[in-house]
Amino acid sequence: MKNIVPHHFSISKEQRTQQKGHGAFLIWFTGLSGSGKSTIANAVEEALFKKNIHTYTLDGDNVRKGLNNNLSFSPEDRTENIRRIAEVSNLMIDAGLVVLAAFVSPYAKDRANIKNCVGHTNFVQVFVQTPVEECERRDVKGLYAKARAGEITNFTGVNAPYEAPVAPDVQINTIETTVEEAVVIIMNCIAKRLGRESGIGNRESN
Ligand code: ADP
């Protein structure tokens, strides 16, 4: 960009990672509203926190109310929503955190852009694959009922599309898999990425 000259800061991502003692990357949860993204992300963050891993969770509540409070659910704004979240995730990875992000993110193209933004090796995609009928039965936030009544347009699964990931790193069917089992599956998937090269934070805190 014109007239933007990067300053070379002396502390690198590698040094920050070294100090924290574990790898930094993004775990991206995608799936329908009510599929279980936030529930599973929360349980994974608890498991990581117990291992003294430095984490942060981004979700609709803390992003749509602040940074992205000027965006709607139109296709263009959904894309911009995801672009900003990817950029924020990238900064947090640079800061040395394991970032968990739980967003419907219905478009394959947007999810591919996240992967490009943070780098392929820093991206773990978890598809929380719960059939729409089950999400609607749960209707955690009462949004399916509103969408069916025509009070919400652009509601994914009802009157807006969801493009299922073709080759996610992890796929969880929440009818067959409990939250606890999902945590074990995801922790196994990220074990290598967590590393623990310096050994710092290897102890459980309880
Ligand atoms: P999302 O973040 O995808 O919109 P939530 O996590 O807010 O979904 O809601 C999912 C709901 O489904 C919660 O009420 C949760 O308790 C319930 N649920 C039932 N079984 C599971 C499961 N195996 N995994 C995740 N959530 C489950």
Side-chain angles (χ1 to χ4, degrees):
M1 225 177 258
K2 208 177 160 214
N3 293 337
I4 301 220
V5 182
H7 183 85
H8 292 290
F9 291 98
S10 39
I11 304 296
S12 66
K13 180 195 171 191
E14 284 64 38
Q15 285 167 293
R16 287 189 284 268
T17 301
Q18 184 73 28
Q19 187 187 50
K20 291 195 164 44
H22 57 77
F25 52 92
L26 170 64
I27 312 174
W28 188 274
F29 296 80
T30 175
L32 296 172
S33 175
S35 60
K37 301 181 298 296
S38 310
T39 304
I40 297 171
N42 181 60
V44 171
E45 186 173 27
E46 278 180 1
L48 290 169
F49 193 86
K50 274 191 193 161
K51 289 180 177 291
N52 291 328
I53 307 289
H54 300 76
T55 58
Y56 193 76
T57 298
L58 295 165
D59 76 351
D61 281 345
N62 59 18
V63 172
R64 281 249 179 214
K65 284 183 186 156
L67 177 69
N68 290 355
N69 69 2
N70 61 335
L71 299 177
S72 73
F73 289 86
S74 70
E76 302 72 41
D77 277 8
R78 281 181 189 261
T79 295
E80 177 60 11
N81 181 47
I82 299 303
R83 188 193 69 79
R84 290 185 199 172
I85 296 161
E87 292 291 350
V88 170
S89 301
N90 202 26
L91 293 176
M92 289 186 170
I93 292 169
D94 202 41
L97 303 182
V98 174
V99 185
L100 302 99
F103 295 93
V104 177
S105 45
Y107 302 128
K109 158 181 73 69
D110 293 347
R111 296 190 303 262
N113 287 338
I114 306 161
K115 194 170 181 172
N116 281 332
C117 176
V118 301
H120 290 214
T121 53
N122 295 328
F123 184 71
V124 179
Q125 184 170 211
V126 178
F127 176 25
V128 184
Q129 189 256 321
T130 307
V132 68
E133 299 76 30
E134 172 65 10
C135 297
E136 193 157 357
R137 194 189 61 73
R138 292 177 188 168
D139 208 2
V140 191
K141 298 173 184 164
L143 297 176
Y144 283 91
K146 283 191 184 170
R148 292 284 176 206
E151 290 169 36
I152 308 175
T153 50
N154 291 328
F155 192 73
T156 304
V158 176
N159 43 27
Y162 179 80
E163 298 169 4
V166 177
D169 298 283
V170 179
Q171 184 159 330
I172 311 277
N173 179 328
T174 66
I175 296 178
E176 297 163 359
T177 311
T178 65
V179 176
E180 295 71 27
E181 288 166 346
V183 170
V184 172
I185 294 167
I186 294 166
M187 292 298 279
N188 284 338
C189 172
I190 62 175
K192 250 199 183 142
R193 279 191 174 84
L194 279 177
R196 303 320 282 257
E197 54 280 63
S198 72
I200 299 169
N202 250 336
R203 288 156 291 126
E204 299 257 346
S205 63
N206 63 351

